[in-house]
């Protein structure tokens, strides 16, 4: 019998995270203080994050040791399996060999606990009692609630209202893990109340929810803030995905992949999978190893955003970060891939895109669901709507190989299951998925707001 | 780092199913034809099942080879992991060592595909184009839809109405896999129309849905029927669970468990896990290996049902089977563990209960959800409401060990996740879970209907 999945032992959970900052060809532009517009220092972040994470945010060390207590929680689901997608290959009649890393085996069903557990651990180590955060599709809020429970921390989640309404059962699972969740914009913060005053029916956005969570954390001594993507330390924690995948590909008898594909929202699942492979481009000049990021056409941060300084949140409380952005005032269309609706891109990924170390592609949700359903019917797993973007990207690469006859290795990161997103599948089968383009006019309008901000 | 889970290679997927019929101390009473009341023969079942499954239903061979094509589909998720529940042990302060087999890693999220895949395979081998079935909680319908898709069969699912309404997303996932699903009682069959004429608001029952699916299958040449539990061949296919678990316990350095626990509805997940362990009782007189079945107090088939001949469905179309039953007319209270709401118990399990080879316990849903939430907060996995019954049973055993100081090994089968059951968790947190007792009076009333049936 041909093997279907490549498993690793618990002893093969990586001992250290891979910090790509050590290998950047050019240094990153610094983040700027939102008030002074000067480069921020650790003291500016101390009200929000524990010292260990602030250190990781700027560290230039290539390997950062994973604490034993974190690895021991990782062992509840890690190492995650790497699958050879034999049935999908057959369905696509492609000569390519397709592999996918399956992060949906985590308790909360996505890659998010990889960083949630680390963040909860470092906060507990520093004596923090409570963490406030935002969540888009709900994956991050669920993961942080799970992680906080294991480290005896309270967890307060501001959930983007459109997703809160679309996915009522996210509330139940966040509560099952012991967390608290409210729809954002909420009346619990000044930021939320401001937005509601302007638009009582606001569907919310990740930017708005971030503003609320930061305000909550900044206003309470016992509370820190946690972000589920974008920041360097978050991307760092996710690199366990790619490191395991690289080892698994070796065990499957493969060299490096020809193409590594990830879906792109804020950047963490993408980077977690891709950075360990990108190391071979940066360190060893393997320029033929292609790295592809797949984002929604309705929120095309990488493909249409401008590379410049912008705020991470909607109202301008965060440091200014150098990133590809659609403008911090942008409220994306309510497509079902809630986890990919964010106006900015992780600074690290943005920086690497500037250096042409990855390609970016944008897809409509309808074609993504088509690919996702084909995947479910071949491989069995029902993917999250976010993950359908990477499947669409991988399928496109496989079809290219069918046309050229190339026996390439395509590897992608299947970041989570769609069990809490079945309303989206129901909408797909009912023919109700809308097309949302992001236009040049929308970009121009959003960019007006940014005219006062420093440029690089 | 102490190990958390015990994994096996794909090559360790069992080569054969374990058929407990070979080891029964006493022969089983035969199933009877519903019309003639004589023992049924293979020809009576041929309109519903392929010959290979009819053969398995009565086979006395101890080992029945698993076809390669079935094992190759199993490899999409099998061997499933066996976990050491270290965090739960700590939370319970028990000296017991608790292990759980995790069947929720299957594509459809429960143990059900173990038999769905086998049944779809044998039907395809016999040239069948379409399978009709019933589903309670939705786990079985999802599993069969998944399996039928892989073998190019159409799948028609009659889903118990109360569950259909409680779990709208089950429809979406069944459709994602390519199946069709209607609420039962439906207007599509004579059986359904009869029930609706008596009670237009009938919440349905597994018995009613079985009647509909059988009628559908019997009335079409291209269609067979598939049952997700109860029958001997279904229990047989599930024995991969217990066989893997036994090997995994050995690899963890354990001998056999002191107590093996399963939740009990129709009997398939229970038997699949317990029968390979029970073999050691039957074959090697290991009478100190305790086997415990946990069922809902609202549908206490094993603890309060009578052992006698009864129909498997609600209207009397199936063969008469020797089993513990609450009466085929019994419509259980709408508790959230939909998969455990069935009036009868698998004949094999009933027969073994008569021989005192297992213990049965009944639990209220409230105490089961309490145990399930404690489990989620320690181990991360959110269990299906059905699985909360076995967790409650295992927790009780662990507490007993705490009180006696015994370092026993408790092993249980965690048969599925609760991702499609979050409405039940929401009801639990809202304090809305009702208590449902099954009374002696209810039993007496149900048994009146059975007075005409043959006795053993």
């Amino acid at each position: 019998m041909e093997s279907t999945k490549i498993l690793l032992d618990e002893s093969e959970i990586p001992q250290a995270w891979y910090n790509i900052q050590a290998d950047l060809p050019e240094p990153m532009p610094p983040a700027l203080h939102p008030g002074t517009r000067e480069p921020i220092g650790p003291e500016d972040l101390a009200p929000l994050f524990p010292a260990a994470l602030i250190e990781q945010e700027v560290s230039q060390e290539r390997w950062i040791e994973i604490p034993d207590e974190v690895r021991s929680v990782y062992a509840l689901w890690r190492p995650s399996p790497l699958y050879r997608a034999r049935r999908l290959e057959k369905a696509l009649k492609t000569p390519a060999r397709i592999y996918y890393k399956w992060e949906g085996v985590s308790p909360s069903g996505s890659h998010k606990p990889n960083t949630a557990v680390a963040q909860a651990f470092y906060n507990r180590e520093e004596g923090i009692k409570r963490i406030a955060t935002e969540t888009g599709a709900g994956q991050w809020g669920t993961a942080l609630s799970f992680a906080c429970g294991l480290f005896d921390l309270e967890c307060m989640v501001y959930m983007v209202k459109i997703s809160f309404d679309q996915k009522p059962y996210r509330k139940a699972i966040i509560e099952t893990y012991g967390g608290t969740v409210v729809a954002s914009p909420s009346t619990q913060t000044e930021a939320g109340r401001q937005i509601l005053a302007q638009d009582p029916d606001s569907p919310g956005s990740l930017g708005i929810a971030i503003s609320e969570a930061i305000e909550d954390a900044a206003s309470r001594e016992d509370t820190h803030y946690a972000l589920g993507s974008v920041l360097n330390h978050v991307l760092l924690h996710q690199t366990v995905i790619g490191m395991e995948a690289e080892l698994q590909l070796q065990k499957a008898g493969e060299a490096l992949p020809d193409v590594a594909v990830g879906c792109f929202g804020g950047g963490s699942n993408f980077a977690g999978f891709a950075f360990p492979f990108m190391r071979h481009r940066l360190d060893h000049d393997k320029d033929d190893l292609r790295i592809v990021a797949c984002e929604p056409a309705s929120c095309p941060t990488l493909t249409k955003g401008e590379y410049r300084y912008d705020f991470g949140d909607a109202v301008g409380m965060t440091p200014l970060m150098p990133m590809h952005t659609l403008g911090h005032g942008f409220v994306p269309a309510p497509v079902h891939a809630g986890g990919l609706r964010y106006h900015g891109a992780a600074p690290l990924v943005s920086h690497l895109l500037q250096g042409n170390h990855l390609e970016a592609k944008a897809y409509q949700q309808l074609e993504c669901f088509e690919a996702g359903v084909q995947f479910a019917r071949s491989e069995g797993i029902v993917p999250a709507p976010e993950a359908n973007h990477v499947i669409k990207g991988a399928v496109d690469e496989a079809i290219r190989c069918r046309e050229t006859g190339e026996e390439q290795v395509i590897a992608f990161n299947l970041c989570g299951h769609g069990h809490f997103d079945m309303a989206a599948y129901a909408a797909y089968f009912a023919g109700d998925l809308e097309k949302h383009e992001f236009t040049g006019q929308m970009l121009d309008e959003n960019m007006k707001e940014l005219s006062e901000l420093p440029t690089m």
Side-chain angles (χ1 to χ4, degrees), chain A:
Chain A
M1 210 170 70
E2 293 175 323
S3 85
T4 299
K5 51 195 174 329
I6 300 102
L7 302 178
L8 301 176
D9 277 345
E10 284 175 11
S11 62
E12 292 170 299
I13 295 172
Q15 303 278 346
W17 293 298
Y18 166 60
N19 180 17
I20 202 168
Q21 293 190 70
D23 292 320
L24 293 179
E26 309 271 337
M28 294 258 289
L32 306 180
H33 190 282
T36 65
R37 313 270 158 117
E38 294 298 318
I40 54 166
E43 67 285 0
D44 296 314
L45 297 172
L48 297 181
F49 301 106
L53 293 179
I54 297 172
E55 232 176 272
Q56 290 175 6
E57 190 63 18
V58 295
S59 168
Q60 301 296 310
E61 295 297 317
R62 183 171 288 108
W63 303 105
I64 294 178
E65 197 187 334
I66 306 177
D68 274 351
E69 221 176 319
V70 171
R71 290 182 79 240
S72 143
V73 177
Y74 279 176
L76 287 174
W77 73 95
R78 305 210 71 85
S80 67
L82 182 81
Y83 277 83
R84 170 83 184 269
R86 292 188 191 275
R87 287 165 204 275
L88 181 64
E89 290 169 16
K90 202 173 282 179
L92 295 170
K93 298 187 175 64
T94 180
R97 299 190 293 285
I98 306 176
Y99 293 88
Y100 59 95
K101 182 73 169 162
W102 177 217
E103 287 292 305
V105 291
S106 83
S108 70
S110 78
H111 64 292
K112 294 289 188 186
N114 295 329
T115 183
V117 169
Q119 293 192 48
F121 167 79
Y122 288 118
N123 273 291
R124 200 236 15 222
E125 288 293 281
E126 208 172 80
I128 285 295
K129 302 293 181 211
R130 181 173 174 276
I131 300 183
T133 197
E134 73 289 332
T135 197
Q139 295 280 23
W140 169 242
T142 307
L144 192 67
S145 180
F146 154 68
C148 283
L150 291 183
F151 291 101
D152 286 324
L153 300 168
E154 277 182 62
C155 181
M156 175 71 208
V157 181
Y158 295 87
M159 181 168 183
V160 177
K161 185 166 187 302
I162 177 78
S163 287
F164 188 89
D165 292 342
Q166 278 176 353
K167 305 177 183 184
Y169 299 150
R170 276 288 171 195
K171 180 171 188 285
I173 191 167
I174 290 172
E175 289 178 353
T176 299
Y177 287 133
T180 304
V181 55
V182 294
S184 164
S186 79
T187 56
Q188 308 214 354
T189 66
E190 188 51 38
R193 287 187 294 268
Q194 264 181 36
I195 305 272
L196 287 173
Q198 289 161 27
D199 177 7
D201 297 325
S202 165
S205 72
L206 215 43
I208 295 171
I210 293 174
S211 300
E212 292 208 88
I214 289 181
E215 183 187 326
D216 178 316
S219 62
R220 286 182 59 156
E221 270 294 321
D222 65 345
T223 301
H224 266 170
Y225 168 69
L227 193 68
S229 190
V230 178
L231 298 182
N232 302 346
H233 68 269
V234 181
L235 276 54
L236 171 78
H237 300 154
Q238 294 293 354
T239 56
V240 288
I241 304 172
M243 282 190 283
E244 287 177 6
E246 189 178 339
L247 179 57
Q248 287 164 313
L249 282 170
Q250 279 168 21
K251 295 206 179 190
E254 303 287 3
L256 290 168
D258 295 289
V259 199
V261 197
C263 65
F264 194 88
S268 78
N269 101 75
F270 170 79
F273 181 68
F275 280 4
F277 294 115
M278 203 177 280
R279 182 164 76 92
H280 297 277
R281 283 183 65 106
L282 302 177
D283 252 19
H284 310 293
D285 294 324
K286 272 205 58 75
D287 293 344
D288 53 345
L289 196 170
R290 291 174 54 223
I291 312 253
V292 180
C294 303
E295 63 183 8
S298 59
C299 190
T301 323
L302 295 177
T303 52
K304 296 205 173 154
E306 281 187 18
Y307 184 57
R308 53 161 304 154
Y309 274 112
D310 196 3
F311 295 109
D313 67 329
V315 303
M317 300 175 72
T318 72
L320 287 159
M321 291 183 293
M323 59 184 184
H324 284 80
T325 177
L326 302 171
H328 63 270
F330 177 57
V331 177
V335 293
H336 286 283
L340 306 184
R341 288 196 303 252
Y342 181 60
H343 69 272
L348 271 170
V349 178
S350 295
H351 184 69
L352 288 157
L353 180 60
Q354 285 305 103
N356 290 318
H357 289 294
L358 61 130
E359 304 162 36
K361 298 192 175 174
Y363 293 110
Q364 284 291 339
Q365 59 177 344
L366 183 62
E367 59 191 345
C368 294
F369 272 88
E370 275 164 13
V373 168
Q374 178 175 39
F375 183 84
R377 290 181 184 177
S378 335
E379 296 291 315
I381 294 166
V382 178
E386 292 80 6
N388 286 344
H389 290 74
V390 69
I391 294 171
K392 172 61 181 161
V395 165
D396 273 7
E397 293 292 334
I399 290 172
R400 177 184 55 73
C401 289
R402 179 175 73 205
E403 285 161 3
T404 63
E406 286 170 285
E407 294 182 11
Q408 289 198 340
V409 173
I410 300 166
F412 70 92
N413 186 29
L414 193 67
C415 59
H417 63 62
H419 299 168
F420 293 90
D421 306 282
M422 295 315 299
Y425 282 87
Y428 168 72
F429 287 114
D432 288 343
L433 288 195
E434 288 172 38
K435 198 168 170 179
H436 298 281
E437 289 291 357
F438 182 87
T439 64
Q441 195 192 340
M442 287 160 81
L443 186 65
D444 291 346
E445 277 168 23
N446 294 335
M447 286 302 142
K448 275 185 209 155
E449 282 189 79
L450 274 57
S451 58
E452 300 298 301
L453 298 180
T455 52
M456 281 179 284

